[in-house]
Amino acid sequence: MSTIGALHATEILDSRGRPTVKVSCTLAGGAHAAVSVPSGASTGRAEARELRDGDPARYGGLGCRKAVANVETTIATALRGRAFAEQPALDRALLELDGTADKSRLGANAMLGVSLAFARAQACERGLPLYRHFADLIGTQPLHLPRLTVNLFSGGKHAGGQVAIQDVLLVPGAATIDDGLAALYAVYQAAAALSAERYHARALTADEGGLAPPFEDAQAMLATAVDAIARAGLRPGVEMSLALDVASSHFYRESRYELDGNALSAGEMIARIEDWVRRFPIVSVEDGLAEDDWEHWPELHGALHGRALTLGDDLLCTNPARIRRAVAENCADALLLKVNQIGTLSEAADAYALARAAGWRVTVSARSGETEDDWLADLAVGWSADQIKVGSITHSERLAKYNRLLEIERETRLPTVAWPSVVT
Ligand code: PGA
Ligand code: ZN
């Protein structure tokens, strides 16, 4: 049993300079922990609602003082002195207090802050590293380290829309996180040099640290990524593969995909993605179709099956009900898990369990608005994720997670997951 002693919250700033929430939890036994909550920009419509102040005179309405007040008053008053055996009991209490389907009363930012701070305080009370505590929450042991999936080039909502697709990411085949990061550095440097040569672009970076030269189209983005891998002296598809976050909900209008100057039907969009997967070493495709285009996802999944993962982000929103539907309709074979899309750790664990029961792969993902907190690395290890997607290998809010993975790798000596293949 862990009894809540005190709960406090502060409004802090994320990597875009926008407000977010930091929550600290002290248990009656003295254990104390704090957690910062991330925030997205390329958000799915089915995500739980962050509470923002809406005062245009302060941070353009994005202030989090109301969410902070909810932690310190409503939530703290209701929970102080109460004992919870486990995470689900605490999260159920939060859900009851909120009472809405989308967490709009207390705010998903306030609720997730409390949910995670309690988890970290319990890990501290139990004297366990956070990844072990996260593994215990789902009744497992950490089996392996996740495969890094790292932003190289960005477009879409993270880079001013110079090209519609959101991210081309690198997936190292190295046997360790340590070797993977060294290989990623080499490719990132080669890509920065190629961007300067071909686009006369200084290495401007997008929200998650990806390079953002003015590519003429998605194909140029992919071809330049492969050239950068080769220029770094690595074998494309062996030592370094690619992943895509198409984020196509954000260029889907009136049943058409507005890509590279064309208005594609769903069938044409699927054919385009299939063509990319045939010509480039792509091992995973996220949000290839829009969040509302349920009808065509099974066709996309069929087209990619056996070649690349069909990964759902905006489609699924880490939401158990949406995952159940996607499993039933055979829409995908991998879940992108963002805890703040659903708003409590236990509901994210339910989403995770559903995906695993269906035999799916799982990618644990950061948000484009991040903080220096590193709990995400522990979550990815604790839940034995297949991929971790944090952003580029620049910017400290991203590196906090990679540096934590290095620490966990040294501590545990766990192998990196075999997917998609390991090069030794
Ligand atoms: P977001 O995007 O954090 O801005 O929502 C990340 C992603 O689409 O994966
Ligand atoms: Zn995405």
Side-chain angles (χ1 to χ4, degrees), residues 242-415:
L242 299 179
L244 275 185
D245 183 0
V246 185
S248 62
S249 304
H250 305 286
F251 54 87
Y252 183 63
R253 278 164 211 99
E254 291 165 10
S255 305
R256 294 268 154 180
Y257 292 88
E258 295 181 1
L259 179 73
D260 300 337
N262 302 305
L264 305 178
S265 67
E268 289 165 338
M269 185 69 201
I270 293 168
R272 182 69 61 94
I273 294 172
E274 232 189 317
D275 181 52
W276 292 335
V277 169
R278 215 178 0 254
R279 292 167 47 214
F280 301 102
I282 297 169
V283 295
S284 144
V285 178
E286 177 180 337
D287 282 351
L289 294 177
E291 61 195 338
D292 297 328
D293 199 0
W294 284 95
E295 185 192 342
H296 296 104
W297 273 83
E299 194 181 326
L300 173 69
H301 180 210
L304 300 184
H305 189 67
R307 293 190 279 178
L309 296 180
T310 306
L311 178 59
D313 172 14
D314 291 351
L315 176 78
L316 306 172
C317 281
T318 317
N319 180 313
R322 293 178 76 91
I323 296 165
R324 259 187 223 104
R325 177 173 175 188
V327 170
E329 297 178 12
N330 209 10
C331 291
D333 51 26
L335 165 70
L336 193 88
L337 187 137
K338 291 169 168 164
V339 183
N340 79 327
Q341 280 180 327
I342 187 71
T344 65
L345 192 51
S346 306
E347 290 167 288
D350 294 344
Y352 173 89
L354 281 170
R356 287 301 194 202
W360 286 15
R361 299 280 183 176
V362 174
T363 296
V364 164
S365 173
R367 302 306 303 249
S368 49
E370 269 295 333
T371 75
E372 62 278 22
D373 202 335
D374 58 8
W375 56 264
L376 193 85
D378 287 77
L379 188 73
V381 174
W383 289 7
S384 299
D386 301 288
Q387 294 171 273
I388 182 168
K389 183 177 163 229
V390 171
S392 178
I393 48 161
T394 60
H395 300 192
S396 296
E397 77 281 2
R398 316 282 149 198
L399 293 166
K401 283 74 165 173
Y402 296 126
N403 290 339
R404 175 68 185 142
L405 283 174
L406 285 170
E407 206 168 71
I408 296 174
E409 178 166 73
R410 270 195 298 274
E411 192 171 299
T412 62
R413 309 222 162 268
L414 281 168

Side-chain angles (χ1 to χ4, degrees), residues 86-352:
E86 284 172 339
Q87 188 74 36
L90 180 276
D91 289 338
R92 261 196 310 279
L94 287 173
L95 293 176
E96 277 163 23
L97 261 184
D98 174 69
T100 67
D102 59 2
K103 303 186 173 62
S104 51
R105 190 169 95 84
L106 295 175
N109 41 1
M111 292 170 71
L112 182 63
V114 174
S115 181
L116 282 172
F118 176 76
R120 195 174 243 169
Q122 266 208 320
C124 177
E125 187 167 69
R126 300 175 68 209
L128 289 179
L130 187 55
Y131 58 86
R132 290 236 171 258
H133 181 65
F134 280 143
D136 285 350
L137 292 184
I138 59 162
T140 169
Q141 295 276 329
L143 303 173
H144 53 237
L145 301 176
R147 181 77 37 200
L148 300 178
T149 308
V150 173
N151 293 42
L152 181 67
F153 293 130
S154 292
K157 287 208 154 191
H158 292 169
Q162 89 289 20
V163 54
I165 66 173
Q166 186 171 286
D167 301 296
V168 171
L169 305 105
L170 297 168
V171 186
T176 63
I177 301 278
D178 196 14
D179 288 344
L181 283 167
L184 286 160
Y185 177 85
V187 178
Y188 191 87
Q189 297 306 320
L194 277 175
S195 302
E197 283 166 30
R198 292 185 186 169
Y199 296 96
H200 309 290
R202 283 179 46 234
L204 292 179
T205 60
D207 283 355
E208 297 182 359
L211 299 165
F215 292 115
E216 47 278 34
D217 54 24
Q219 173 167 320
M221 203 171 176
L222 283 159
T224 309
V226 173
D227 292 346
I229 294 171
R231 186 166 172 151
L234 300 173
R235 288 170 290 164
V238 182
E239 285 150 319
M240 194 65 75
S241 301
L242 299 179
L244 275 185
D245 183 0
V246 185
S248 62
S249 304
H250 305 286
F251 54 87
Y252 183 63
R253 278 164 211 99
E254 291 165 10
S255 305
R256 294 268 154 180
Y257 292 88
E258 295 181 1
L259 179 73
D260 300 337
N262 302 305
L264 305 178
S265 67
E268 289 165 338
M269 185 69 201
I270 293 168
R272 182 69 61 94
I273 294 172
E274 232 189 317
D275 181 52
W276 292 335
V277 169
R278 215 178 0 254
R279 292 167 47 214
F280 301 102
I282 297 169
V283 295
S284 144
V285 178
E286 177 180 337
D287 282 351
L289 294 177
E291 61 195 338
D292 297 328
D293 199 0
W294 284 95
E295 185 192 342
H296 296 104
W297 273 83
E299 194 181 326
L300 173 69
H301 180 210
L304 300 184
H305 189 67
R307 293 190 279 178
L309 296 180
T310 306
L311 178 59
D313 172 14
D314 291 351
L315 176 78
L316 306 172
C317 281
T318 317
N319 180 313
R322 293 178 76 91
I323 296 165
R324 259 187 223 104
R325 177 173 175 188
V327 170
E329 297 178 12
N330 209 10
C331 291
D333 51 26
L335 165 70
L336 193 88
L337 187 137
K338 291 169 168 164
V339 183
N340 79 327
Q341 280 180 327
I342 187 71
T344 65
L345 192 51
S346 306
E347 290 167 288
D350 294 344
Y352 173 89

